[in-house]
Amino acid sequence: MKFIDVHCHLDGGHFGDLSALLHNIKAAGVEKIILAAVDLPTCKFGQELSKTYDMCRFTAGFHPTELSKYREGDLEKIAEAACDENCVAIGEIGLDYHYPDTDKPLQRRIFGEQLLLADNLGLPVQIHSRDCAEDMLAMLKEYSAYLKNGFLLHCFSHSAEIALEMQKMGGYFSFGGTSTYSGSKKVRRVIAAISEDRILSETDSPYLPPKSMAGQFPNTPESIPEIVRNIADIRGATVEYTADKIWENARTLFKKL
């Protein structure tokens, strides 16, 4: 039985000795982790860690709330990093309308450009989607021809109805610590509704601790077994079956794993 964290952030200096952390993650049964980038420095961080530790892979991309740092020419730098053998996806990219000063046209433009880049490079995308369900669904439909390498909605938080629409388009969905809380009824409905072939596990470390770590910081990929057990419980499956299925799904979506 192998576990995988398809979306985490180990940058930021929250974890102390990273070699010790990675040892503990592996001891918890987590065989692979994907380090999600939000800008160029975090992309470089993931790239360097992946060179040193075989259990690590990384993504390259610009997060929608980090676009104040974005400069013309950065897309070419993302493309260069994405050609690394350890880069498994373009991400995390997407839309985030949570803040009142959001530049929505800019977010949509850069998101679209990165979707086209992923298609050109033959890579899947990791998508961040918050408070933007209608626009996200519209953009995925608009760019559907460029999503043939697959797309993941990380830490999915929209409705089960929207999830099923996105699933028809080829979408995958990853779930983290928030899904372990009994009050997270919407997320739990999504986990129950979608196909077992589209479910993945993540932590979004250092954020979103599971129920057993409520209020603690930082969360780490060591939480993955708890998250997978919860997914198994919701779906009425064994942990072993669920972990193996998630591993298979991850390898199907992220061909460079």
Side-chain angles (χ1 to χ4, degrees), residues 3-5 7 174-180 191 199-205 207-212 219-234 239 242 246:
F3 295 104
I4 183 168
D5 186 342
H7 189 103
S174 58
F175 304 95
T178 54
S179 65
T180 65
I191 292 171
I199 295 176
L200 293 166
S201 54
E202 68 158 288
T203 60
D204 204 18
S205 301
Y207 315 108
L208 308 182
K211 186 177 179 181
S212 70
N219 183 26
T220 82
E222 295 165 88
S223 299
I224 284 291
E226 179 179 352
I227 291 163
V228 174
R229 279 196 300 272
N230 178 68
I231 293 171
D233 288 345
I234 292 169
V239 177
T242 303
I246 288 172

Side-chain angles (χ1 to χ4, degrees), residues 28-128:
V30 182
E31 294 285 327
K32 292 285 184 186
I33 61 174
I34 299 176
L35 303 160
V38 300
D39 56 15
L40 292 176
T42 51
C43 172
K44 187 69 174 175
F45 173 88
Q47 188 174 23
E48 291 301 317
L49 209 62
S50 298
K51 286 179 184 175
T52 307
Y53 298 96
D54 184 58
M55 70 184 296
C56 297
R57 297 293 184 268
F58 76 101
T59 72
F62 243 97
H63 189 286
T65 65
E66 302 299 315
L67 293 180
S68 62
K69 307 173 190 174
Y70 187 85
R71 300 293 180 268
E72 295 307 319
D74 284 351
L75 196 65
E76 288 74 16
K77 295 175 183 176
I78 291 169
E80 182 180 355
C83 291
D84 188 299
E85 63 180 358
N86 292 320
C87 182
V88 299
I90 297 297
E92 65 181 288
I93 64 176
L95 304 175
D96 190 322
Y97 294 173
H98 185 69
Y99 301 103
D101 60 345
T102 295
D103 187 337
K104 295 180 182 180
L106 176 64
Q107 285 196 11
R108 289 192 288 265
R109 177 172 72 84
I110 302 302
F111 181 34
E113 288 177 0
Q114 291 182 99
L115 291 175
L116 294 176
L117 173 64
D119 180 61
N120 288 336
L121 296 175
L123 288 172
V125 292
Q126 283 202 0
I127 295 175
H128 173 100

Side-chain angles (χ1 to χ4, degrees), residues 159-161 163-164 167 187-196 199 234-235:
S159 69
E161 291 75 18
L164 291 172
Q167 179 176 276
V187 173
R188 296 167 77 87
R189 280 197 294 270
V190 174
I191 292 171
I194 62 176
S195 167
E196 65 176 16
I199 295 176
I234 292 169
R235 294 187 63 85

